Amino acid sequence: MSFTLHGIAVSSGIAIGYAHLLSHSSLEVAHYVLPKRFVAEEIARFEVALNATRNEFTSLRSNRPSYAAAEFDAFLELHQMILDDPLLSVGPREMVEREHCNVEWAIKVQTDALAAQFDEFEDAYLRERQADVKQVAERLLKQLSGQPGHQPTHLRRDVETILVAHDLSPADMIQFKPQQYAAFLTDAGSATSHTAIVARSLNTPCVVGLHRARELIREDDLLILDGEQGVLIVNPDCTILAEYKLLQSEWEIERKKLKRLRSARANTLDGVTIELYANIEKPEDIVEVKENGATGIGLFRSEFLFLNRDQLPDEEEQFEAYRAVAAGMKGQSVTIRTFDLGADKQIKGVAQVSSNPALGLRAIRLCLAEPRLFRTQLRALLRATHYGNIKILIPMLSCVSELNQTLQFIDITKQALDCEGIPYDREVKIGGMIEIPAAALSLNAFARRLDFLSIGTNDLIQYTLAIDRTDEDVAHLYDPLHPAVLHLLSHVIATANKLGVPISVCGEMAGEPVYTRLFLGMGLRQFSMSSSQVPTIKQRILSTSLPQIAVLTQKILRADDPVKIRELLEKLNS
Ligand code: PEP
Ligand code: MG
């Protein structure tokens, strides 16, 4: 059955692929011991399920769907081989005989053992085949539960797989490699959640906030995901499929054309140069930064180095990561944010679960509450300043005393390095993120003590409008064009410009072309965004004349009616 769902577009591009449902629990099965008289019956259940799964593969091979490519057979062959491995085809029977356990448990234990063998391979491709082992086991378990897979098994060729999840944490998302999946979709989420931000940095189309997609979509359904419009089409007919294939190739041609702007300067029509920087989460991201022609890094979210691990990175590991980015950017500006952990980015043993994490011990508050961790990071950061053009950025400042304490920490760390004779950049610039309304409204006090400022629009909007940016139930209220938000943005940009303190915007708004002229009109000259957005924003700048947008921008800033604001913005962009 074909149907369409609408969600929130968070990372553009069109993907066509087969659904893979992410289910953390599918291999979580119960374990119980059977009375001896039921053992033979349990073994018979296993043999029936095993044969049914084999038959399922055979029938899939002989009924290969017309849209499936030739790799389909190779992929099925691999899954058949996995199923026939003695660990899966014989091991569970022996285990039930020996231990009188339920067969689902025996399959789980044998699957883990087989997957562990794949873990030993040096070759990354072979290691990744663990996922195939789990998929085969899931198929077997589905047979046992009386709900066999009824859709054609797809290629699992990575580029053609679309990951369907109820929700993904930023920590889940950061583990995916670029191009591992053709697209992501989730029931939960909103446009500026960190999960969405990481999807964008992977340059992978993504739609979130689809509510019941995970429940409605079946494994291997054919999906079309439009990351520009936030549309998902499940099991499209041939006409729709052909139409989207065309749109997909047009989109790719457009991307290639945009990439030709890579080495062009981002100058307005009247000759003003705008700096376009990139946001990164991992040192490896600098490849994309360069490919897209960003002229520096405006935000390195260093906290991603701390996720998905039991042991936190020590000073040496952090130093290496920061040094590698600075050296890789060859003298271009690299702004590294001290870790913004807490809220949706929790780590074991450090961040406390609070009743309202977004308002709790997060970012600089957590750094100051964990002096040992903070000092380690500051040492690593300062040491790395010797190897490139590093600036340090402090997240989520709300009051001057936090800033004073932070500056004191930095001074003490510098003194310690001096005593040890370790070199660092004595002139290293320290900046602050303006992402809490209190900081925006008392900007002078921050601007006086800092070398530069960066507006985090994701949080500034969250905290101004009292909307949890990760909560899809209030995602519709998240409005970057709310008059209060526009007022704060223009106030911060104008004040910083008046005081001569460099100011940039590094929240998601900076990478959305619909706001580029508005920001330029407010006086912004530095933007930092997901690398993949740099060419699009550059194109918008190249077609903008600052004198021509001045009057309309002022009209937008004076307007207080949301409809009027949107009408005027449309005019500004036409
Ligand atoms: C922001 O809040 O806009 C920002 C850039 O920081 P983050 O999205 O990591 O909170
Ligand atoms: Mg923020």
Side-chain angles (χ1 to χ4, degrees), residues 169-331:
S169 70
D172 289 333
M173 189 64 109
I174 199 77
Q175 288 180 312
F176 300 128
K177 300 180 195 67
Q179 276 87 52
Q180 183 177 356
Y181 289 102
F184 301 107
L185 65 96
T186 62
D187 295 343
S190 61
T192 57
S193 64
H194 285 102
T195 304
I197 290 169
V198 179
R200 228 166 279 141
S201 80
L202 291 172
N203 207 1
T204 302
C206 180
V207 176
V208 300
L210 283 158
H211 300 290
R212 290 177 55 222
R214 173 70 182 71
E215 190 187 317
L216 298 171
I217 296 169
R218 304 278 168 85
E219 183 78 13
D220 298 316
D221 274 351
L222 183 61
L223 305 178
I224 295 174
L225 181 139
D226 182 341
E228 190 77 34
Q229 304 298 326
V231 171
L232 175 77
I233 305 170
V234 183
N235 294 323
D237 64 28
C238 297
T239 323
I240 304 268
L241 190 60
E243 221 171 89
Y244 270 90
K245 278 192 172 161
L246 191 68
L247 277 177
Q248 189 182 36
S249 52
E250 282 171 2
W251 193 85
E252 273 156 18
I253 292 168
E254 190 52 32
R255 287 292 309 167
K256 276 195 194 129
K257 270 200 220 153
L258 276 178
K259 278 208 173 173
R260 285 197 216 128
L261 294 177
R262 181 180 157 182
S263 49
R265 289 189 76 99
N267 284 351
T268 59
L269 286 171
D270 49 315
V272 176
T273 299
I274 309 298
E275 291 303 336
L276 297 184
Y277 295 145
N279 296 347
I280 65 167
E281 279 80 44
K282 304 180 287 340
E284 308 87 90
D285 294 344
I286 68 171
V287 178
E288 281 269 309
V289 172
K290 292 182 175 183
E291 268 176 26
N292 286 290
T295 51
I297 289 168
L299 174 66
F300 177 0
R301 290 182 163 98
S302 69
E303 63 275 10
F304 279 87
L305 296 173
F306 291 66
L307 302 180
N308 297 317
R309 48 195 298 164
D310 294 326
Q311 298 263 310
L312 298 181
D314 63 10
E315 182 183 322
E316 252 356 86
E317 184 183 336
Q318 289 189 57
F319 163 69
E320 258 319 310
Y322 308 143
R323 194 201 56 76
V325 174
M329 290 304 292
K330 300 194 170 32

Side-chain angles (χ1 to χ4, degrees), residues 192 194 197 299 301 303 337 340 345 362 433 435 455-460 469 506-508:
T192 57
H194 285 102
I197 290 169
L299 174 66
R301 290 182 163 98
E303 63 275 10
R337 176 171 78 182
D340 181 354
K345 289 171 290 189
R362 184 194 153 185
M433 286 197 70
E435 45 187 353
I455 307 178
T457 50
N458 308 333
D459 280 317
L460 187 63
R469 63 194 262 203
C506 64
E508 295 309 288

